[in-house]
Amino acid sequence: MNYIKQEDLHFIGTKILQRKEELAENKRQDLAEAHNIHVELTNFRIDLLTTYADSILMEKGIAIDNIKQWGENTANLLVGNQLPLNIALEEISYYRDVIGEIIKEEAKNKKFSLDAFYEIISHFNTIVDDAIQSVIRSYVKDYTKKIKYAQYAIDELSVPVVRMTEEIGILPLVGDLDTKRAQYLMENALDKGKQYKLKWLIIDLSAVPIIDTMVADELFKIIAALKLLGIYVIISGLRPEIAQTMVNLGINLEEIKSFSSLHQAVQYANSSIRSLT
């Protein structure tokens, strides 16, 4: 900065730091009353005020890096506590006005020139704008990651391999099977089959309303892959229309043990194991 002395900037930064606890407490009360949100955000506010104070003293490039780190930390806090993005944006704007008033008062007291006042206000506004952009980008990134993780967890729960005995597992499928879910089904079946050291895996289709040709092809690949691991597959709940789809695809159902009910499939698996012992 060319029009303002470094010691004046330090004085402004010190003034902000001296009042940060007071300013943070005032906003805490406002937030609780306006939004009925009682999550402890005092440290967030103090970090914001400290970052603002520090950034006033920094060169633009360094200040941007400083704000970026703050934005990432803030986004983690919001997403982790399931708080809306507008909470942070409101507070960023609130402290823009508060600190702007502090700068204005100090400019009067120190009798800054118009150029000096404009320079520091312009620099500070750039810091605030960067803070807004940083927290928005980081929030969207973190929130998207959280959604993907939640979807992964849902997918995992939707294709559970249940271990019935030491050597027999059951994979009950519920709802529509699309290609993506069928691919996840293959991964989970192979992983759990190997982990549990299964000899038989019963794939129950009783609660699957329809299977298209692409999904039927994926299902056949799962059966073939499990066979390579030494795991024999039994299909239960195979309705006529699903069987017809698989036949049209060219899958030879004669090589796959299938039963109309899960009970029959379990009985067959148990009897097969007993015959081998």
Side-chain angles (χ1 to χ4, degrees):
M1 294 186 181
N2 300 319
Y3 296 101
I4 190 167
K5 297 177 182 178
Q6 194 68 19
E7 55 264 30
D8 291 330
L9 291 176
H10 277 287
F11 189 83
I12 293 172
T14 301
K15 199 79 172 179
I16 296 169
L17 295 175
Q18 286 174 344
R19 296 186 56 192
K20 63 183 180 182
E21 284 82 7
E22 168 205 343
L23 297 174
E25 176 60 20
N26 291 343
K27 189 57 180 174
R28 183 190 69 80
Q29 295 173 357
D30 290 344
L31 182 68
E33 293 173 3
H35 299 283
N36 195 30
I37 292 175
H38 300 282
V39 175
E40 182 52 58
L41 295 176
T42 298
N43 289 338
F44 152 73
R45 297 186 185 97
I46 290 177
D47 285 346
L48 174 58
L49 289 165
T50 302
T51 301
Y52 277 167
D54 291 343
S55 297
I56 287 174
L57 304 174
M58 297 174 178
E59 294 294 331
K60 185 176 180 180
I62 300 174
I64 289 174
D65 291 339
N66 196 35
I67 285 293
K68 181 180 178 182
Q69 184 60 55
W70 173 85
E72 292 174 355
N73 294 339
T74 298
N76 288 335
L77 174 68
L78 294 174
V79 174
N81 287 279
Q82 299 182 350
L83 295 176
L85 177 60
N86 69 293
I87 294 295
L89 299 182
E90 179 183 324
E91 302 223 0
I92 291 171
S93 297
Y94 170 79
Y95 287 116
R96 182 204 294 266
D97 296 337
V98 170
I99 295 177
E101 285 296 321
I102 293 175
I103 294 173
K104 184 176 73 174
E105 288 303 315
E106 293 308 314
K108 287 180 180 179
N109 294 336
K110 297 288 184 178
K111 297 181 179 179
F112 289 174
S113 68
L114 182 60
D115 286 333
F117 178 68
Y118 175 79
E119 189 169 23
I120 188 171
I121 282 293
S122 177
H123 179 62
F124 177 64
N125 281 330
T126 299
I127 292 169
V128 176
D129 292 340
D130 286 340
I132 291 172
Q133 293 300 318
S134 178
V135 76
I136 289 174
R137 286 194 297 267
S138 296
Y139 184 89
V140 171
K141 180 181 177 181
D142 287 354
Y143 199 77
T144 301
K145 186 185 300 183
K146 187 174 183 179
I147 291 174
K148 287 182 178 179
Y149 180 82
Q151 185 60 53
Y152 178 85
I154 291 171
D155 289 341
E156 185 174 15
L157 290 173
S158 69
V159 286
V161 174
V162 181
R163 192 173 188 176
M164 191 181 75
T165 68
E166 288 293 320
E167 298 178 308
I168 301 175
I170 300 176
L171 202 168
L173 299 178
V174 178
D176 294 331
L177 276 177
D178 55 20
T179 304
K180 179 182 176 182
R181 192 178 175 205
Q183 289 173 345
Y184 185 83
L185 168 60
M186 172 180 280
E187 296 174 8
N188 200 39
L190 293 175
D191 289 344
K192 295 300 182 182
K194 184 177 180 180
Q195 178 184 339
Y196 295 155
K197 299 179 180 179
L198 299 177
K199 293 295 184 183
W200 293 89
L201 179 63
I202 301 171
I203 299 179
D204 184 60
L205 303 176
S206 302
V208 177
I210 191 170
I211 293 179
D212 61 24
T213 54
M214 292 182 66
V215 173
D217 186 45
E218 290 291 335
L219 190 59
F220 177 72
K221 290 177 182 176
I222 293 169
I223 294 170
L226 287 168
K227 188 174 181 181
L228 291 175
L229 294 179
I231 302 173
Y232 297 97
V233 174
I234 303 173
I235 296 179
S236 65
L238 189 63
R239 298 191 305 282
E241 59 271 25
I242 294 179
Q244 184 63 46
T245 299
M246 299 178 81
V247 169
N248 291 340
L249 189 63
I251 297 175
N252 186 2
L253 292 177
E254 293 181 359
E255 297 180 0
I256 304 171
K257 291 294 180 182
S258 62
F259 298 90
S260 59
S261 71
L262 178 61
H263 175 70
Q264 292 173 326
V266 171
Q267 278 189 325
Y268 176 83
N270 279 325
S271 63
S272 297
I273 290 174
R274 284 196 297 268
S275 68
L276 295 175
T277 59

